[in-house]
Amino acid sequence: MAGQHTRLPPLNALRAFWAVMRQGTFRSAADELLVTPQAISQQIKLLEDTLHVSLFERKARVIEPTEHAIILSHFVQAGFDEFTEGIRRVTNSAYRNRININVSPYFATRYLMERLERFRQRMPGADIRMTTMVNVRDFAADEVDVSIQWGFGNWKEYDVKLLMHDPKIICCSPELARQIHSPADLGRMTLLHPVMARDLWRKVLAHLGLPSMEMAGEIEFQDAATMRRGSISGIGVGLVSKLDALGDIEAGTLVAPLGIDILDTMDKKDIPGFYLVVPKAHKRVKIISAFCDWISTEEWSNTGALG
C-alpha cells in the first residue's frame, strides 16, 4: 500500500534525466532540450534530492550513470513512451472514429459478422479494426479498445458483461457412440476440451453425478472449430457448441450418445459464454461507449444462425 503514496518527482527533472541518459553528457542533453547545462545540472540535483539516491558519478568531464540511474531509466523510458502514445491517440482525429475490437473467433464468425453493419448504421463513419484471438489481449500494448471473449467471466480488473451463454452437447462420431450407453462410459473415452477451460469436463462430469471419475485421456484444443473436427474424426468425445452440434447431428456426422438435452440443467455459472470485456476508462471514449451500448442491447441468442 505504501507504494500508492509515493511522491513523484517533477516532470521536468525526469525529462532532463532521460535526456542525459540518452545523450551521455549534460551539455548534449541541454542542447536537445534548448536549455543551459546549468539548468540540466539543477534538474538532476533536484531529482537526486527527491529520490534520495545518487544518479551520476562525476569524473572530471565525464559522467557515469549509477546502478540506480540504469534501473530508473527503463521505467522513465516506458513512461515517456506511454505519454507519447496517449497524446498520439487523443490528438489524432482519425483515432476518434476508430475502434479496435478483439473478438473470439467463434463469436466473430457465428454471430458478430452478420450484424456488424447495424453498428455502422448507428455510428456512420466508424473505422472498425477487428482481430480474432482466443485470449484477452493486453489492452494497452496491443491497442485494443474492447474485447469479446469466451469463458466464465473471470476478468475482475475489467468491466465484464455476459452477452450470451454457449451451451454444449456431448458429441462423438457414430462409431464411438456405440460404446457409450451411460455417463459412466465416458471414463473409458478420450475427452476433448478447449485449452481455455481445462476444468469444463470436470464440471460436466459432476453434473452427471460422476465428480470423482478418472478420465482415460484428454486432448486440448486451442479453438472450438478444431475440437469439433476432432470429435467428427472419432479421436474422442467433445463438448461441442449447441449451434454446431445440432447441425452435425442432423447431418449424421456427430451423435449425442447421452441425448442433446442432458446438460440443459447445468448450473449457469458452470456454462461458458461470450463476454464483453472492456477497461472501465475506455468507456469514456464516445465510440467505445456507443459500441458497448449497441452490443449489450443486441439479442444474441436470437441470431439467425440458430434458426
Side-chain angles (χ1 to χ4, degrees):
M1 294 295 293
Q4 297 179 3
H5 303 289
T6 299
R7 179 188 173 193
L8 295 178
L11 183 59
N12 280 341
L14 292 173
R15 289 180 66 239
F17 165 76
W18 181 227
V20 173
M21 289 296 294
R22 285 184 288 104
Q23 298 292 344
T25 68
F26 283 13
R27 179 171 294 280
S28 296
D31 291 341
E32 176 186 321
L33 299 180
L34 303 178
V35 297
T36 65
Q38 291 76 16
I40 293 292
S41 180
Q42 290 172 1
Q43 291 296 333
I44 297 301
K45 179 65 167 57
L46 174 60
L47 184 58
E48 290 178 328
D49 290 345
T50 302
L51 301 179
H52 304 292
V53 296
S54 176
L55 296 173
F56 296 98
E57 294 180 359
R58 284 79 168 173
K59 297 180 178 179
R61 295 187 176 183
V62 179
I63 60 168
E64 294 183 359
T66 65
E67 181 179 353
H68 293 300
I70 294 171
I71 293 172
L72 179 62
S73 66
H74 298 301
F75 294 95
V76 172
Q77 177 183 9
F80 278 114
D81 287 346
E82 287 291 306
F83 288 151
T84 301
E85 176 61 15
I87 291 169
R88 183 188 70 80
R89 289 193 179 195
V90 301
T91 57
N92 186 346
S93 59
Y95 178 79
R96 286 194 286 270
N97 290 326
R98 188 197 321 174
I99 181 168
N100 299 320
I101 310 166
N102 181 65
V103 187
S104 161
Y106 188 88
F107 190 87
T109 56
R110 288 290 195 237
Y111 299 99
L112 183 60
M113 295 304 296
E114 65 182 32
R115 297 198 192 187
L116 201 54
E117 186 59 28
R118 298 187 191 181
F119 175 67
R120 292 175 59 86
Q121 291 171 0
R122 178 181 289 199
M123 295 290 291
D127 180 7
I128 302 171
R129 311 290 177 92
M130 182 188 299
T131 56
T132 53
M133 300 290 289
V134 296
N135 294 315
V136 173
R137 309 300 300 272
D138 184 324
F139 284 94
D142 298 327
E143 293 191 26
V144 173
D145 297 315
V146 61
S147 191
I148 301 170
Q149 296 298 139
W150 183 91
F152 297 89
N154 302 321
W155 298 282
K156 304 301 184 184
E157 66 271 39
Y158 303 118
D159 270 354
V160 177
K161 180 179 177 60
L162 175 66
L163 299 179
M164 62 175 292
H165 279 110
D166 179 28
K168 303 296 183 180
I169 296 179
I170 299 172
C171 289
C172 62
S173 66
E175 292 76 15
L176 278 185
R178 299 188 188 103
Q179 305 174 41
I180 302 173
H181 306 288
S182 71
D185 292 328
L186 294 172
R188 298 183 287 104
M189 302 292 160
T190 298
L191 303 181
L192 316 180
H193 63 85
V195 69
M196 296 292 292
R198 291 188 171 94
D199 61 343
L200 184 54
W201 264 112
R202 283 294 175 196
K203 295 176 180 179
V204 167
L205 294 174
H207 171 72
L208 298 176
L210 301 166
S212 303
M213 188 177 77
E214 291 294 326
M215 290 181 278
E218 299 176 77
I219 301 178
E220 294 182 351
F221 294 88
Q222 189 69 20
D223 61 272
T226 308
M227 185 182 68
R228 175 189 172 204
R229 288 194 291 271
S231 302
I232 293 172
S233 71
I235 64 173
V237 180
L239 294 169
V240 181
S241 295
K242 180 172 284 190
L243 172 63
D244 292 327
L246 293 178
D248 291 333
I249 291 169
E250 183 178 357
T253 55
L254 283 178
V255 173
L258 300 176
I260 63 173
D261 58 356
I262 195 169
L263 301 182
D264 285 356
T265 56
M266 278 187 69
D267 192 318
K268 291 294 186 184
K269 67 179 176 56
D270 292 332
I271 301 175
F274 295 100
Y275 290 82
L276 177 67
V277 184
V278 57
K280 294 179 175 63
H282 285 198
K283 297 177 78 171
R284 297 178 187 146
V285 179
K286 181 180 178 181
I287 192 168
I288 299 174
S289 177
F291 180 83
C292 292
D293 290 343
W294 168 75
I295 204 164
S296 298
T297 55
E298 286 284 318
E299 185 54 62
W300 295 102
S301 59
N302 289 339
T303 183
L306 283 174

